[in-house]
Amino acid sequence: MTYEVDLAVRAEDALNELPEHGHQEVMEVIAAVLVRPGSWPPLGGWDGTVVFGSRSWVVFSAFVGGIVVYDVGWAG
């Protein structure tokens, strides 16, 4: 199964504003989400989900090919 991460403009802007270690932590949370499809909301719907890291979060929805990230954050 291939995975696709399409970072929405809002998520890209948030990533660009983070310090390097915050950026790395958020990307690790995204990677963890990708390998755990059981944590994804129903595919192709309007449902989204939030997954938290130790100091970060990722908001996304899912489709057959992977996830779409809508927002990310870091509280560091």
Side-chain angles (χ1 to χ4, degrees):
M1 175 182 230
T2 60
Y3 297 107
E4 177 179 332
V5 176
D6 180 16
L7 294 175
V9 172
R10 189 170 176 195
E12 286 177 348
D13 290 344
L15 282 170
N16 289 336
E17 294 175 8
L18 296 177
E20 183 59 36
H21 53 285
H23 185 273
Q24 180 178 344
E25 182 176 327
V26 168
M27 293 306 291
E28 288 172 0
V29 173
I30 292 171
V33 166
L34 286 172
V35 298
R36 285 186 268 143
S39 68
W40 298 0
L43 299 178
W46 288 96
D47 295 328
T49 210
V50 178
V51 174
F52 293 93
S54 60
R55 293 182 297 171
S56 60
W57 64 90
V58 175
V59 180
F60 68 96
S61 63
F63 62 100
V64 174
I67 67 172
V68 176
V69 177
Y70 293 107
D71 196 14
V72 298
W74 184 66

